[in-house]
Amino acid sequence: MSKNNSEISTDGLTFLEDGEVLYNDLYLLSETDEKGIVEYASDSFLKIANLHRDELLGQPHNVVRHQDMPRAAFKSLWDDVQSKGFWTGYVKNARKGGGYYWVYATVLRSVDKNGKTKYVSIRVKPSREDIKKAQELYATLD
């Protein structure tokens, strides 16, 4: 059986009827190059996204973008990362095979000594109240 066909553990995940996946005590980490291509993904990120490492590495990070996320939210993310070097906010991500999960994300821009830019994203589980507020806000955006 190939690695892509093997099941990913769902230990510690809760699946709701509407497709939302809840998780506790997980930090979802990833790193991309300057073009948003994933170079690193933590095991917890792979687990919640329902992806194997070889399915994500080398792919654009937006492979987990959920269709409900307004473009304006990502414009804000990139504008802030470029001008301030960081962004924080709420993101609804899609899981491979269906379903979704919410994260409270911090994205940091990093430039190494050779001038190469990378982006590091650290994500944690947001509160239900914060998710509700994000949903209300995102419903007003394009």
Side-chain angles (χ1 to χ4, degrees):
M1 181 181 285
S2 81
K3 187 176 184 181
N4 280 341
N5 291 330
S6 63
E7 280 193 39
I8 296 172
S9 169
T10 58
D11 291 345
L13 303 180
T14 302
F15 296 85
L16 303 182
E17 281 187 26
D18 71 349
E20 184 174 5
V21 177
L22 304 179
Y23 55 97
N24 287 318
D25 304 325
L26 294 178
Y27 290 90
L28 314 179
L29 308 172
S30 61
E31 184 176 290
T32 69
D33 68 10
E34 69 280 356
K35 295 180 181 175
I37 303 301
V38 179
E39 295 182 332
Y40 168 80
S42 67
D43 291 342
S44 56
F45 177 39
L46 295 168
K47 178 180 187 172
I48 193 73
N50 197 33
L51 292 165
H52 290 283
R53 194 168 310 283
D54 60 351
E55 293 176 300
L56 186 59
L57 296 186
Q59 298 301 312
H61 199 283
N62 66 8
V63 71
V64 296
R65 181 179 176 178
H66 194 278
Q67 65 205 22
D68 290 351
M69 283 298 298
R71 293 192 185 277
F74 290 103
K75 181 177 182 336
S76 168
L77 182 157
W78 286 111
D79 287 351
D80 281 0
V81 167
Q82 295 308 313
S83 66
K84 301 176 192 174
F86 72 95
W87 175 87
T88 58
Y90 300 93
V91 179
K92 182 179 184 180
N93 284 330
R95 296 184 84 236
K96 178 183 148 195
Y100 65 94
Y101 59 100
W102 280 92
V103 297
Y104 178 66
T106 300
V107 179
L108 305 166
R109 183 183 66 224
S110 169
V111 180
D112 70 16
K113 64 183 177 185
N114 298 318
K116 184 177 178 183
T117 300
K118 292 188 175 211
Y119 300 96
V120 177
S121 181
I122 305 152
R123 297 169 300 280
V124 296
K125 177 183 165 187
S127 72
R128 299 310 291 170
E129 182 180 326
D130 288 337
I131 291 170
K132 185 175 188 275
K133 288 177 186 174
Q135 289 172 314
E136 290 169 358
L137 171 63
Y138 291 166
T140 68
L141 302 176
D142 292 327

